[in-house]
Amino acid sequence: MTAPPAGRAVPRRPGPDRDAALAQYQRRARVYDLELAAFEAIRRAALRRLAPRRGETVIDVGCGTGLSLPLLREAVGARGRVVGVEQSPEMLALARRRAEAHRWRNVELVGAPVETADWPWPGDAALFHFTHDVLQRADAVANALAHLKRGARVVASGLRWAPRWAVAVNAAVYVAARRSVTTLDGLDRPWALLEQRLGPMRVTTSWLGAVYIAEGSVP
Ligand SMILES: C[S@@+](CC[C@H](N)C(=O)[O-])C[C@H]1O[C@@H](n2cnc3c(N)ncnc32)[C@H](O)[C@@H]1O
């Protein structure tokens, strides 16, 4: 892993911690949408790369409060479907409230950890937006991809360590990560487990290297 900001101790954990993640998002759910406002441009850029089409089924992996749902469901249209998978009851409740308030018929929400979740609609595309903990679990990545069609498009996006010289940027990544994820492992190449299964991904970075969008497809 690329070094975190100088002088900061990095907690070493053996990968994502489900109980810690549930507690983290129980605390955070109420303020989550407000906190994510600054990152909305990244969501839109990721969705442009995913390019959902009319009639498709799109899986929103770790959908949180459902911030991507309006854009995704609009793109797939009435004959398409968006499936949001989320383990935090508090985050999922907000996604459900959003879907019910708008009477969205083409949105299905699955309340379960991605690693064990099941849904009967194989995806034409999948979005992993700001889902570092999910991306660091081989079982979660494998299960999500097992629910996609051959050739399905996959986009992962979020924060990563910037180059070592960008100390201030990495300090900001560290602060954001401590609030959002339960492991700092893999923050140099968060898409690595996906890439093991999909083959080489097209990766672009921005924000001095601290934001990535990785794109691939199911072989
Ligand atoms: C930073 S939020 C991102 C939410 C959403 N993708 C967005 O774009 O706003 C990360 C979400 O992933 C969820 N999550 C983390 N690990 C998970 C897992 N193993 N299975 C399902 N959801 C998970 C968290 O509960 C949280 O809602």
Side-chain angles (χ1 to χ4, degrees):
M1 178 193 337
T2 306
R8 304 302 296 262
V10 179
R12 293 295 303 173
R13 295 197 181 101
D17 177 333
R18 178 158 191 262
D19 290 339
L22 288 171
Q24 193 169 48
Y25 283 95
Q26 181 183 41
R27 288 192 302 272
R28 202 179 170 200
R30 264 185 323 117
V31 293
Y32 181 80
D33 288 6
L34 208 57
E35 290 184 351
L36 261 278
F39 299 100
E40 281 311 294
I42 309 169
R43 183 187 311 281
R44 285 172 187 271
L47 286 173
R48 278 196 297 276
R49 293 276 287 276
L50 190 68
R53 300 172 199 141
R54 292 262 164 228
E56 284 190 333
T57 294
V58 178
I59 316 302
D60 187 3
V61 182
C63 68
T65 62
L67 285 172
S68 295
L69 296 177
L71 296 165
L72 289 173
R73 66 165 294 283
E74 178 70 29
V76 300
R79 284 192 293 152
R81 180 182 281 116
V82 181
V83 182
V85 185
E86 171 57 49
Q87 73 174 4
S88 157
E90 292 78 14
M91 297 290 273
L92 187 73
L94 293 174
R96 220 178 270 296
R97 192 190 295 174
R98 197 187 294 274
E100 284 168 3
H102 294 281
R103 299 179 189 209
W104 289 333
R105 297 205 174 160
N106 56 351
V107 172
E108 309 283 348
L109 294 171
V110 179
V114 175
E115 50 274 25
T116 55
D118 192 18
W119 59 92
W121 311 281
D124 297 287
L127 176 69
F128 295 73
H129 185 65
F130 278 67
T131 54
H132 185 73
D133 274 7
V134 176
L135 289 172
Q136 298 318 302
R137 292 194 61 125
D139 53 355
V141 168
N143 192 41
L145 298 185
H147 284 80
L148 301 182
K149 298 177 186 170
R150 271 197 201 163
R153 309 182 303 285
V154 176
V155 166
S157 40
L159 297 179
R160 67 185 285 264
W161 292 134
R164 291 181 76 96
W165 54 262
V167 176
V169 176
N170 278 330
V173 172
Y174 181 80
V175 170
R178 287 302 302 266
R179 194 152 169 69
S180 310
V181 305
T182 66
T183 179
L184 299 182
D185 288 351
L187 259 184
D188 49 348
R189 296 183 87 246
W191 59 89
L193 288 179
L194 267 183
E195 201 166 47
Q196 274 178 20
R197 293 186 165 264
L198 300 180
M201 299 181 80
R202 185 166 85 92
V203 181
T204 55
T205 60
S206 54
W207 296 22
L208 293 177
V211 168
Y212 74 92
I213 301 180
E215 181 186 348
S217 57
V218 176

